[in-house]
């Protein structure tokens, strides 16, 4: 009997083992379903407890005794605070006008500035100086600071007018301090023009001009589309936490018509720096695309009716419409070959470049260079005018190769850069990686603003 039972158990065990070996997935699924059902049952049992919404609600009321009105008034009378406000000086400023913009109502302070030559010299007949006022609760002046950059040696000046400890007068002093170098990240979306977009993003004009120059060979900034976007990281030089001037563009990205262009500044030790794509390709061009910043082309390199001679003839250059006095810059490195007057050209500058190439700048109102003088790319050499045969203020710009007229629109395509050396490549790659992160962060801000 016992032997029969043992034999039956062995037979059952062998069949169970055979079943597990034959159908492992099906059996695992069945066990999982069983456990799930058991879990659901446990959940169902657990949910049989009382609903929180059915529990009784008990209100607790406590009496609040506010301070007496007179005590509150006394507390406000003893509370003191300082108001800060910053403005930029204007050429037509008077002390009354400046203090009014700063929210200051203090006849004694105004009288002190009028009678102090040091304060008048720093504040009046100046444009764009940063002035910060600290006022008391009654809008009287406690301290006034003006900051400006007198030269390019890295220092700035600070004028401080302060109420004395007795509260019945003012002191004045002028200090010299060092500018603090920093970097700023900004981004924007084009709705009408690049200049309008950079203004909206509070990007300085000098930085906007650099941005246009960097991508001039790839992007036509006179034909941007609504929705084109950009990001830029640039140097700024600060005094007391406020930016007094901008510096070089450190990295930039521009997306136009779905195509993305990137650039970063890199300088190898002992070499001239330049802009490169993150893969190491140089963006430096031998010539800028335009000798006048943010101008429009009024007449191209083509046949036209001459506005004065009334004859159909070839226009051998490009005319850039701009107000009289607009700065004109050299589009490339070279030497001034001619600076003076030539018939219909009026005041004209001719700059000789490499490979028998010349650029011509005509109808100028002012000439700021001399024959034989070496000029560098982007250097200001004169100003727009209407001298010679001109019906209105504009710059006539020509490009000549071996004395032959060539379309100036093509000069920005000439390469002028040098590749990254093998020894500097690791440093460049690390900087490029950091640049990508910064620009991605800037574009995320643009996207968030758009959303």
């Amino acid at each position: 009997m016992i032997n029969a039972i043992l034999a039956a158990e062995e037979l059952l065990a062998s069949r169970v083992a055979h079943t597990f070996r034959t159908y492992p997935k099906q059996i695992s699924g069945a066990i999982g379903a069983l456990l799930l059902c058991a879990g659901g049952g446990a959940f169902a049992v657990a949910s049989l407890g009382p609903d929180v919404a059915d529990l009784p609600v008990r209100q607790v009321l406590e009496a609040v005794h506010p301070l007496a009105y007179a005590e509150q008034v006394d507390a406000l009378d003893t509370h003191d605070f300082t108001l800060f406000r910053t403005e930029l000086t204007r050429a037509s400023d008077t002390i009354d006008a400046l203090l009014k913009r700063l929210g200051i109502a203090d006849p004694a302070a105004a009288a002190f500035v009028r009678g102090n030559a040091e304060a008048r010299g720093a504040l009046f007949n100046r444009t764009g100086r940063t002035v910060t006022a600290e006022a008391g609760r009654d809008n009287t002046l406690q301290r006034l600071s003006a900051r400006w950059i007198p030269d390019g040696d890295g220092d700035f000046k600070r004028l401080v007018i302060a109420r004395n400890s007795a509260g019945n007068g003012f002191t004045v002093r002028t200090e010299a301090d060092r500018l603090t170098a920093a970097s700023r990240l900004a981004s924007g979306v084009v709705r009408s023009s690049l200049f309008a977009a950079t203004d909206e993003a509070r990007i300085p004009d000098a930085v906007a001009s650099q941005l246009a120059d960097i991508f001039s060979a790839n992007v036509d900034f006179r034909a941007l589309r609504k929705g084109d976007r950009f990001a830029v990281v640039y140097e700024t030089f600060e005094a007391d936490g406020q930016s007094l001037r901008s510096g070089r563009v450190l990295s930039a990205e521009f997306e136009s018509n779905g195509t993305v262009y990137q650039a970063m500044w890199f300088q190898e030790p002992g070499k001239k720096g330049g802009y490169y794509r993150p893969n190491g390709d140089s963006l430096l061009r031998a010539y800028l695309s335009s000798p006048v910043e943010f101008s429009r082309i009024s007449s191209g390199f083509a046949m036209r009716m001459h506005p004065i001679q009334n004859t159909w003839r070839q226009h051998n250059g490009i005319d850039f419409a701009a107000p009289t006095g607009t700065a004109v810059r050299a589009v490339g490195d070279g030497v001034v070959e001619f600076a003076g007057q030539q018939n219909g050209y009026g005041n004209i500058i001719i700059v000789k470049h490499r490979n028998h190439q010349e650029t011509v700048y005509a109808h100028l109102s002012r000439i700021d260079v001399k024959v034989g003088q070496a000029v560098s790319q982007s250097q200001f050499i004169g100003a727009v005018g209407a001298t010679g045969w001109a019906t209105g203020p504009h710059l006539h710009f020509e490009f000549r190769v071996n004395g032959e007229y060539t379309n100036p629109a093509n000069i920005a395509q000439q390469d002028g850069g040098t590749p990254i050396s093998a020894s500097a490549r690791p440093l460049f790659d690390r900087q490029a990686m950091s640049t990508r992160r910064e620009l991605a962060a800037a574009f995320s801000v643009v996207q968030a603003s758009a959303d």
Side-chain angles (χ1 to χ4, degrees), residues 32-93:
L34 181 62
L35 292 176
L36 183 62
C37 292
F43 177 78
V45 172
S47 65
L48 294 178
D51 192 342
V52 176
D54 297 332
L55 294 177
V57 176
R58 184 167 58 93
Q59 293 184 345
V60 178
L61 300 177
E62 294 185 4
V64 177
H65 301 285
L67 293 175
Y69 178 75
E71 295 181 20
Q72 295 184 54
V73 172
D74 293 340
L76 288 174
D77 287 340
T78 58
H79 177 71
D80 200 8
F81 55 86
T82 301
L83 300 174
F84 294 83
R85 187 163 182 175
T86 298
E87 287 285 341
L88 296 178
T89 58
R90 302 172 184 174
S92 59
D93 264 341

Side-chain angles (χ1 to χ4, degrees), residues 228-243:
D228 288 353
R229 58 180 188 165
F230 58 88
V232 60
V233 180
Y234 61 94
E235 293 177 316
T236 182
F237 297 93
E238 300 178 348
D240 301 332
Q242 295 183 341
S243 177

